Amino acid sequence: MTSRAPRVAVVLGGLATLLLVLVATRWSPLLDVDEQIARTTHGWAVADPGLTHANRILTDWAWDPWTMRALLAVVVGWLLWRRDGWFAAWLAVSCALGTLLQQALKAGVGRERPRWPDPVDSANYSAFPSGHAMTATVVCGLLLWTLYRYGVRRSLWRGALVVAAVSVLGVGLTRIWLGVHWPSDVVEGWLLGGLTVSVAVLSYERFRGPSRLPDADRTGALRGRP
């Protein structure tokens, strides 16, 4: 995982920067695609109130940024109990820095959210990037990194990977479906979230050594021995 982090960071950083520039300069082809997709999905949302209600539950409870942060906080607490303080701090700081980056870009870009005569949901503050999409990506990525570091069983790793993918993709789609974000807001959230995780992995490797625990340490940690 760590050997790919530099290349992943460069690619994600480049794509995120490009999309930021296109949105900030209001590049017409991108705005046209955003509006076309948003109008289509909003029409579907208005026509299917049952599915729209399900999307609101998922976005407001299951995949809400505070729900995701609370999940990470539980893992950080477990790591502190395991006396893995440096790694716990790295996860917490990485998530906090991701949130700061997200809020700074929202304030700096100041992009307005979609406006509808018949809205199915509402949201406050600027649109770009999507906080839901970015937070889910950061938290799920950091949790996958934790599982990798502790060498969990392959079946558990695969299951966690599926859950993470569904959560990250799902929360982005709910934001578009509910008409509170443009598609490019969500894509930028995914890109910046992935960038945050890859930089966290890379920096931890540089400052604290290999991210994966030795076999003996992993076995003891998973069995609950301090």
Side-chain angles (χ1 to χ4, degrees):
M1 178 181 287
T2 54
S3 63
R4 295 191 295 270
R7 285 171 291 178
V8 171
V10 169
V11 172
L12 293 177
L15 292 174
T17 301
L18 175 60
L19 185 54
L20 171 61
V21 170
L22 294 179
V23 169
T25 58
R26 301 184 60 81
W27 191 54
S28 296
L30 175 64
L31 300 185
D32 291 343
V33 171
D34 269 345
E35 184 171 356
Q36 182 178 358
I37 295 174
R39 287 190 179 280
T40 300
T41 54
H42 178 68
W44 294 340
V46 171
D48 195 337
L51 185 55
T52 298
H53 181 66
N55 274 268
R56 279 201 297 267
I57 292 174
L58 288 171
T59 201
D60 291 340
W61 296 97
W63 295 325
D64 180 76
W66 286 108
T67 302
M68 303 302 293
R69 293 180 189 124
L71 177 59
L72 185 66
V74 170
V75 174
V76 167
W78 178 80
L79 290 169
L80 290 174
W81 179 71
R82 292 297 323 149
R83 301 179 186 176
D84 198 354
W86 267 108
F87 191 63
W90 218 271
L91 295 185
V93 170
S94 297
C95 185
L97 290 177
T99 300
L100 289 175
L101 173 61
Q102 169 206 132
Q103 294 301 313
L105 284 176
K106 280 181 177 290
V109 176
R111 189 184 199 186
E112 291 190 3
R113 295 178 184 268
R115 296 181 180 273
W116 310 107
D118 50 351
V120 298
D121 201 357
S122 63
N124 300 316
Y125 203 36
S126 300
F128 185 89
S130 166
H132 280 69
M134 184 171 176
T135 303
T137 305
V138 170
V139 170
C140 288
L142 293 177
L143 294 181
L144 287 174
W145 179 28
T146 303
L147 293 177
Y148 168 82
R149 184 170 183 266
Y150 277 85
V152 298
R153 298 189 311 272
R154 183 172 297 180
S155 58
L156 178 57
W157 167 260
R158 289 175 176 171
L161 191 60
V162 170
V163 171
V166 169
S167 298
V168 170
L169 292 173
V171 71
L173 295 178
T174 65
R175 305 309 286 168
I176 299 171
W177 181 273
L178 294 172
V180 293
H181 273 296
W182 305 104
S184 56
D185 301 337
V186 171
V187 173
E188 183 75 357
W190 287 335
L191 292 173
L192 289 175
L195 176 62
T196 301
V197 173
S198 60
V199 170
V201 173
L202 179 60
S203 58
Y204 188 87
E205 171 106 346
R206 291 286 177 86
F207 287 101
R208 299 297 302 173
S211 295
R212 191 161 185 148
L213 290 170
D215 290 343
D217 291 344
R218 284 204 311 271
T219 302
L222 291 172
R223 289 178 179 174
R225 294 201 306 268

